[in-house]
């Protein structure tokens, strides 16, 4: 379950509380019965770079993205040529 940070608008009391996603936000300060606000912290994961592909973390020899293979049209299978009689 996630931990949420709250701060009171009236007295400035700040605290953290573990709540379920389904729980509603707290609105009343436990110290002075004032109005609470939820504090938002910075995210722990930061994505940097030009893209987020499977090949981005591989070695850096030239281009990190390989071209897709060319699609070949479906051709019927050729039957083998009859063997010529040796004379």
């Amino acid at each position: 379950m996630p931990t949420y940070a709250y701060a009171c608008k009236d007295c400035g009391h700040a605290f953290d509380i573990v709540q379920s996603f389904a729980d509603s936000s707290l609105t009343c300060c436990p110290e002075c019965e004032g109005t609470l606000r939820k504090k938002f912290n910075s995210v722990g994961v930061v994505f940097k770079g030009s893209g987020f592909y499977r090949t981005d973390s591989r070695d850096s020899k030239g281009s990190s993205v390989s071209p897709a293979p060319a699609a070949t049209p479906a051709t019927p299978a050729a039957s083998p040529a009859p063997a010529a009689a040796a004379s």
Side-chain angles (χ1 to χ4, degrees):
M1 288 199 306
T3 302
Y4 294 100
Y6 287 93
C8 180
K9 291 181 180 179
D10 299 332
C11 71
H13 174 68
F15 62 97
D16 295 339
I17 188 166
V18 177
Q19 288 182 296
S20 171
F21 288 110
D23 292 344
S24 59
S25 297
L26 300 179
T27 57
C28 189
C29 176
E31 295 285 320
C32 72
E33 301 297 321
T35 306
L36 284 179
R37 69 178 179 86
K38 190 182 285 189
K39 294 170 43 177
F40 294 98
N41 297 323
S42 62
V43 178
V45 177
V46 177
F47 295 102
K48 294 183 180 180
S50 61
F52 309 105
Y53 299 98
R54 177 174 62 97
T55 56
D56 282 349
S57 62
R58 305 279 168 91
D59 59 2
S60 59
K61 294 179 197 168
S63 175
S64 64
V65 178
S66 59
T72 56
T75 56
S79 58
S87 324

